[in-house]
Amino acid sequence: KLEKIWLIVGVSCLVLFLTTIGVSAFYLGNKPPSCLTTVDPDKVDQQKPFDKPGLHKVEGKDWDYELVYVAQAFSYNPAQVKVPLGAKVKVIATTKDVIHGFEVAGTNINMMLEPGYVSEYTTTFNKAGEYLVVCNEYCGSGHHLMFSKIEVV
Ligand code: CUA
């Protein structure tokens, strides 16, 4: 008898949670906050800013540089980049194929790159050195070989 009551309580909770998520996602259109901009994953190379991966100086914005990345199994473009010490940089990244990670080791930059979405993070590199960008989402047989370097000078 008691088990039956708990089973009903459990199932009711599950239904309530799923309904809440469903309404939030499909009816209210909620999405993860990092995924506000979209890009056509099949034409990434032809779309701004991904037609020119790498570091670009910008004027009239709250940041000094834009650092554009295109991820693809199993590499990042650019594979290596030099960033001036103390520069405020907006990292803009996407992926051409599957979900990849974008973690800059030793910093608090840690993004998920999803096909069709643009991930962004603005940061200031205040410490000189070499930083390793690594993929922290399993993306296939070459996942552990997927990395890029940021040199802060
Ligand atoms: Cu890309 Cu793991």
Side-chain angles (χ1 to χ4, degrees):
K1 188 93 204 299
L2 219 55
E3 280 103 328
K4 211 170 171 184
I5 293 170
W6 281 114
L7 192 68
I8 291 167
V9 170
V11 169
S12 308
C13 283
L14 194 65
V15 169
L16 182 70
F17 290 151
L18 289 177
T19 312
T20 309
I21 292 170
V23 167
S24 150
F26 299 109
Y27 183 67
L28 302 173
N30 284 349
K31 276 185 208 155
S34 62
C35 300
L36 298 172
T37 330
T38 53
V39 67
D40 184 345
D42 299 324
K43 296 190 195 119
V44 165
D45 295 327
Q46 291 136 56
Q47 288 169 90
K48 279 189 176 185
F50 302 107
D51 54 340
K52 289 193 190 100
L55 189 73
H56 307 291
K57 181 116 181 80
V58 292
E59 303 286 339
K61 293 191 177 166
D62 286 341
W63 47 91
D64 310 313
Y65 290 90
E66 285 176 355
L67 181 48
V68 179
Y69 279 97
V70 176
Q72 186 177 21
F74 302 99
S75 63
Y76 296 97
N77 183 13
Q80 184 154 15
V81 79
K82 266 187 191 172
V83 174
L85 181 64
K88 193 169 179 188
V89 177
K90 183 175 192 174
V91 179
I92 306 170
T94 193
T95 161
K96 279 167 95 168
D97 42 31
V98 296
I99 291 176
H100 295 287
F102 189 99
E103 181 182 355
V104 185
T107 71
N108 55 358
I109 306 174
N110 189 351
M111 302 193 288
M112 194 170 163
L113 311 183
E114 292 172 80
Y117 290 100
V118 179
S119 302
E120 299 179 338
Y121 192 92
T122 307
T123 189
T124 306
F125 289 94
N126 280 324
K127 223 175 127 210
E130 207 173 73
Y131 295 84
L132 205 58
V133 179
V134 292
C135 180
N136 57 7
E137 296 284 343
Y138 183 73
C139 53
S141 58
H143 164 70
H144 60 291
L145 301 170
M146 190 165 170
F147 71 94
S148 174
K149 272 180 191 169
I150 298 175
E151 213 185 318
V152 179
V153 283

